[in-house]
């Protein structure tokens, strides 16, 4: 009976451990999410979308390699610098292919990403009640108690 209970406990513990680990997104998943957001906000042409996809995909692959190196404990001192340099270079390349109103909106996208998300207001039903959805670290702050 003790062995049966021990086996069940081990299985439950192993199952909990495997479910607790988050799967790191692939470079392609990160790229698709990023480019889809840019396409919606900047109204990209198909050519712009294709070129931006290539820039972002290359950056994502290289950044994931840097992250994996860090997790494995084999990172170098300048890996953090490389990580942000890749990001800045990619943003500069994207800026070169954007036109007119797309540039200021791209800067807003970058600012939103730095701040951890965007704030949106939603109206509920016919009432005048509005709910503010906050993402990022500001969404974790405790609300003052009345």
């Amino acid at each position: 009976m003790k062995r049966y209970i021990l086996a069940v406990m081990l299985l439950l513990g192993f199952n909990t451990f495997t479910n607790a680990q988050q799967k790191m997104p692939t470079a392609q998943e990160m790229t698709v999410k990023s480019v889809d957001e840019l396409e919606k906000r900047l109204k990209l042409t198909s050519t712009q979308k294709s070129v931006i996809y290539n820039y972002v995909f290359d950056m994502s692959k290289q950044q994931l390699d840097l992250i994996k190196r860090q997790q494995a404990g084999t990172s170098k001192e300048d890996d953090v610098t490389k990580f942000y340099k890749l990001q800045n270079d990619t943003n500069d390349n994207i800026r070169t292919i954007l036109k007119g109103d797309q540039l200021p909106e791209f800067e807003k996208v970058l600012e939103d990403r730095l701040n951890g998300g965007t704030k949106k207001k939603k109206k509920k039903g016919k009432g005048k009640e509005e709910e503010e959805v906050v993402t990022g670290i500001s969404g974790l702050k405790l609300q003052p108690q009345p």
Side-chain angles (χ1 to χ4, degrees):
M1 183 69 171
K2 289 181 183 178
R3 287 185 181 181
Y4 177 73
I5 292 173
L6 182 61
V8 169
M9 297 292 278
L10 279 172
L11 285 173
L12 287 174
F14 181 72
N15 188 28
T16 302
F17 176 74
T18 56
N19 287 338
Q21 292 180 337
Q22 285 187 337
K23 180 187 151 226
M24 184 178 287
T26 65
Q28 185 175 7
E29 290 170 340
M30 291 169 44
T31 302
V32 167
K33 182 178 178 182
S34 180
V35 173
D36 284 349
E37 177 190 9
L38 291 176
E39 181 181 28
K40 287 178 190 171
R41 292 195 53 187
L42 305 178
K43 298 173 181 62
L44 300 174
T45 66
S46 60
T47 304
Q48 286 175 321
K49 183 178 176 182
S50 175
V51 172
I52 290 173
Y53 182 92
N54 291 332
Y55 286 146
V56 174
F57 185 69
D58 288 341
M59 176 194 69
S60 297
K61 284 193 308 189
Q62 293 177 43
Q63 285 184 335
L64 280 176
D65 288 341
L66 292 171
I67 291 169
K68 288 176 184 175
R69 250 196 282 171
Q70 188 221 8
Q71 289 176 342
T74 59
S75 63
K76 299 175 185 173
E77 285 185 33
D78 65 337
D79 281 354
V80 173
T81 305
K82 284 182 186 176
F83 185 91
Y84 289 110
K85 184 174 180 352
L86 286 167
Q87 201 165 0
N88 289 333
D89 290 346
T90 301
N91 290 338
D92 289 342
N93 289 336
I94 291 172
R95 283 182 187 99
T96 63
I97 64 167
L98 296 177
K99 309 278 186 235
D101 291 343
Q102 292 175 323
L103 282 168
E105 186 62 27
F106 181 65
E107 297 304 325
K108 288 179 188 175
V109 169
L110 294 179
E111 186 177 328
D112 289 345
R113 288 179 181 176
L114 285 174
N115 292 330
T118 58
K119 294 181 181 181
K120 298 179 182 178
K121 292 194 176 188
K122 294 183 177 180
K123 288 190 176 183
K124 287 194 166 192
K126 295 180 182 177
K128 306 241 179 196
E129 185 179 332
E130 291 185 359
E131 177 183 327
E132 188 173 324
V133 177
V134 181
T135 59
I137 195 145
S138 57
L140 299 174
K141 294 179 183 173
L142 294 174
Q143 301 298 322
Q145 298 296 326

